[in-house]
Amino acid sequence: MLFYEPLFLTVFPAVYASYLLATGARARKWMLLVASTLFYLWGEPVFVLVLFASTALDYALSFHLSDPTRLARRRLALAGGIAGNLAILIVYKYADFIAQNLNLALAPLSAQRVPLLHLALPIGVSFVVFEKITYLVDTYRGTSRPAATFTDYCLFVLFFPKLLAGPILKYHEMKDQIAKPPAVEWSDFATGFLRFSRGLGRKLLIADPLGNFVNTVFAADPASLGTGYAWLGLGSFTLQIYFDFAGYSDMAIGLARMLGFSLKENFNSPYVARSMTEFWRRWHISLTTWIRDYLYKPLGGNREGEARTYLNLWICFLLSGLWHGASWNFVLWGAYNGLFLTLDRLFLRDALARCGTLISTGITLFIVMMGWAIFRSDSPAHLTTFVSVLFGASPASHALEIPPEVPCALAVGAAISLLPATPLYPALIRSYEKRVSMRALTATALVLIYVLSTARSVAVPFQPFIYFRF
């Protein structure tokens, strides 16, 4: 069930009204747990059983991860919990990828082919697994205590606003809100609804119109494209993936706020970054911090010399690429980002800092866009030809139909993405904070965006969020 589907927009108000009428934190907790379970059950009726079973295993193991349990037993419990969660990810997400590559490698030997499982990828499985591993590791480290009740831990795992595509949460940051869901105030509803409306607009009015054109460009033979169409398609995807994923984060944060919960931000104007290091501090913040805290630092971080630091960066981003999908283009995309983060530490970040805002932002955005070309291409052959077309290697000029909404979505998306890099942005923020009329105008605009987005969701076939496939 998607947040912008007519079904959700019809059912949620009734659920929300019942939640507001619930008396006491215990009643609110159970309502959220039941609603979250039904929400996920609607789209994943089989996997929800696996999810509950693995959640029960996590909860049982968490009581063996801290003192007074002996260290050897704690380590065994942690290893078992992490292995169990990774097994879910491997079976559902990577089993066929591994089998296909084994079959390819063994083909010259005429060996028997490894059968494929053809399992459907459960929505949000990568996000859920990362959160569950976080709970186990934080309990082992002593950062948090085991959940007070199994109900609390289930609600943390299944909390529906963030369930499908994050942001990735840490139990110790949510435990107080989970244990005692706060009463909803008027400011929670107003702030949350406006934030949800912003996300709805980002997804339906910018990302989806661009997505239709992006699909046309990347489905075509790249050799048949002209350079202009290739750049237009890549620019459209650059904005589509940002507004699609940031739109989901806005909706998740907004829905949670309407329920009285506060979630951390997941994006911070990433396309105004002046280096790749800064870009990754602004893009998918919850994943980047997860990689830093649960992979980069345990590998040694930057504490064991420059060579080890560069190796750790590469390992982290190769795995980050693989996390995004069971395909070699994602591994290549991870290696590409690892390369530029290494170059940042060597010289690139300092060189860009001396170039001024305009040049450094432009160069960083260009590097990011080349990365998105890798990310969106479905094969090395497609990528190689597409990149050559970008730089004018193909004389083809096959005309593609450009829907009239694409230039408008591009212009609005680019303006919103790059506005924080301009001197106008701080003035607008100060005006918003000081003037009631400015806040009223913003709220009115967001309500209008909600109405337009809802109308589009009814009239136009929906497109799933890009990150649902991860």
Side-chain angles (χ1 to χ4, degrees), residues 266-315:
N266 210 21
F267 289 87
N268 181 21
S269 304
Y271 291 154
V272 305
R274 297 178 60 185
S275 68
M276 287 302 289
T277 300
E278 184 184 353
F279 173 79
W280 279 105
R281 289 174 182 158
R282 292 172 173 269
W283 177 274
H284 201 348
I285 298 168
S286 64
L287 175 62
T288 307
T289 54
W290 194 97
I291 292 172
R292 180 196 66 198
D293 294 341
Y294 301 97
L295 188 57
Y296 180 67
K297 288 182 179 179
L299 285 171
N302 57 2
R303 302 187 303 273
E304 300 181 20
E306 288 295 308
R308 182 59 182 270
T309 298
Y310 303 145
L311 176 62
N312 291 342
L313 283 172
W314 274 69
I315 291 173

Side-chain angles (χ1 to χ4, degrees), residues 414-435:
I416 293 173
S417 299
L418 299 176
L419 180 62
T422 68
L424 179 61
Y425 186 71
L428 288 173
I429 294 297
R430 287 194 298 270
S431 177
Y432 179 84
E433 292 173 347
K434 293 179 180 180
R435 299 173 60 182

Side-chain angles (χ1 to χ4, degrees), residues 85 229 318 350 447:
N85 280 288
Y229 285 108
L318 282 171
D350 292 338
V447 171

Side-chain angles (χ1 to χ4, degrees), residues 209-431:
L210 293 175
N212 291 324
F213 180 67
V214 169
N215 292 339
T216 300
V217 170
F218 281 87
D221 179 359
S224 69
L225 296 173
T227 297
Y229 285 108
W231 276 108
L232 187 61
L234 182 57
S236 295
F237 180 68
T238 299
L239 293 177
Q240 180 205 3
I241 192 170
Y242 170 50
F243 282 92
D244 188 284
F245 194 17
Y248 179 91
S249 295
D250 281 341
M251 285 185 247
I253 292 169
L255 284 171
R257 183 62 184 275
M258 290 172 68
L259 296 166
F261 288 73
S262 295
L263 305 186
K264 288 192 171 183
E265 296 294 333
N266 210 21
F267 289 87
N268 181 21
S269 304
Y271 291 154
V272 305
R274 297 178 60 185
S275 68
M276 287 302 289
T277 300
E278 184 184 353
F279 173 79
W280 279 105
R281 289 174 182 158
R282 292 172 173 269
W283 177 274
H284 201 348
I285 298 168
S286 64
L287 175 62
T288 307
T289 54
W290 194 97
I291 292 172
R292 180 196 66 198
D293 294 341
Y294 301 97
L295 188 57
Y296 180 67
K297 288 182 179 179
L299 285 171
N302 57 2
R303 302 187 303 273
E304 300 181 20
E306 288 295 308
R308 182 59 182 270
T309 298
Y310 303 145
L311 176 62
N312 291 342
L313 283 172
W314 274 69
I315 291 173
C316 288
F317 274 87
L318 282 171
L319 292 176
S320 171
L322 192 59
W323 175 86
H324 279 82
S327 174
W328 287 112
N329 68 301
F330 293 120
V331 177
L332 180 60
W333 176 74
Y336 174 88
N337 281 282
L339 170 64
F340 277 98
L341 286 167
T342 300
L343 294 177
D344 260 6
R345 294 185 68 92
L346 287 171
F347 69 90
L348 186 57
R349 181 171 48 184
D350 292 338
L352 289 174
R354 294 191 292 268
C355 294
T357 301
L358 183 62
I359 294 176
S360 60
T361 302
I363 291 174
T364 301
L365 184 57
F366 173 80
I367 295 170
V368 170
M369 290 178 70
M370 291 298 101
W372 290 140
I374 300 171
F375 191 95
R376 186 58 178 79
S377 296
D378 58 8
S379 68
H382 182 281
L383 172 64
T384 302
T385 307
F386 185 81
V387 171
S388 68
V389 171
L390 288 174
F391 294 98
S394 172
S397 57
H398 177 65
L400 294 177
E401 181 181 355
I402 302 175
E405 58 188 359
V406 168
C408 180
L410 268 172
V412 173
I416 293 173
S417 299
L418 299 176
L419 180 62
T422 68
L424 179 61
Y425 186 71
L428 288 173
I429 294 297
R430 287 194 298 270
S431 177

